[in-house]
Amino acid sequence: DGLKINGSFSYLDFQYKSIAASTGLSLSFVPPYVPEMQWSLGGQYKIDLGSAGSITPRIDASHQSEMYSNAANASTNRIAPYTLINGSLTWRNEAEDLSVALQVENLADKYYVLNNFDIEAFFGMIRDQPGRPRQFSLVVKKRF
């Protein structure tokens, strides 16, 4: 009864049908910030502790395939694919009006890029915006 599993999957096979020659783009290019594939999978199991409440471990994983930050796809504006894992451990009292959760985001402390600003052709600069490193949080909730 205490097991919950959730997931999602998306696949986008985008292809330009025609592009004005004046853009300088190729039909093989993909639009910016459109990954071909994304998925997520999560699971948790609520363990009943009787009058002591319950404890629920949870783990989530998500993946995003490569994408580009510019309509003119190039290696300098490619954002590499990445997979992230998050986890949590939540205690709830018997009345379920109080909970305390220890949460970890980016459990593997994976370096990944969210955004890329490629103006190399004009200013010789490429800037990446990295995603957040491993983060711990303690969340306390009380329902009234």
Side-chain angles (χ1 to χ4, degrees), residues 16-32:
Y16 285 112
K17 299 294 182 193
S18 65
I19 298 178
S22 62
T23 65
L25 301 178
S26 165
L27 289 176
S28 65
F29 287 171
V30 295

Side-chain angles (χ1 to χ4, degrees), residues 61-80:
S62 63
H63 174 81
Q64 177 175 288
S65 63
E66 76 175 8
M67 62 182 178
Y68 293 88
S69 65
N70 193 312
N73 303 163
S75 61
T76 55
N77 60 53
R78 177 184 174 269
I79 297 175

Side-chain angles (χ1 to χ4, degrees), residues 119-130:
I119 52 173
E120 184 177 37
F122 300 106
F123 300 106
M125 285 190 332
I126 301 170
R127 297 286 185 258
D128 286 342
Q129 176 191 355

Side-chain angles (χ1 to χ4, degrees), residues 56-106:
T56 306
R58 177 171 181 85
I59 192 150
D60 295 283
S62 63
H63 174 81
Q64 177 175 288
S65 63
E66 76 175 8
M67 62 182 178
Y68 293 88
S69 65
N70 193 312
N73 303 163
S75 61
T76 55
N77 60 53
R78 177 184 174 269
I79 297 175
Y82 60 87
T83 302
L84 298 176
I85 300 172
N86 302 323
S88 67
L89 185 62
T90 304
W91 170 84
R92 285 184 185 81
N93 67 352
E94 188 176 22
E96 294 194 350
D97 62 348
L98 176 66
S99 67
V100 179
L102 174 61
Q103 300 174 338
V104 183
E105 294 180 28
N106 193 1

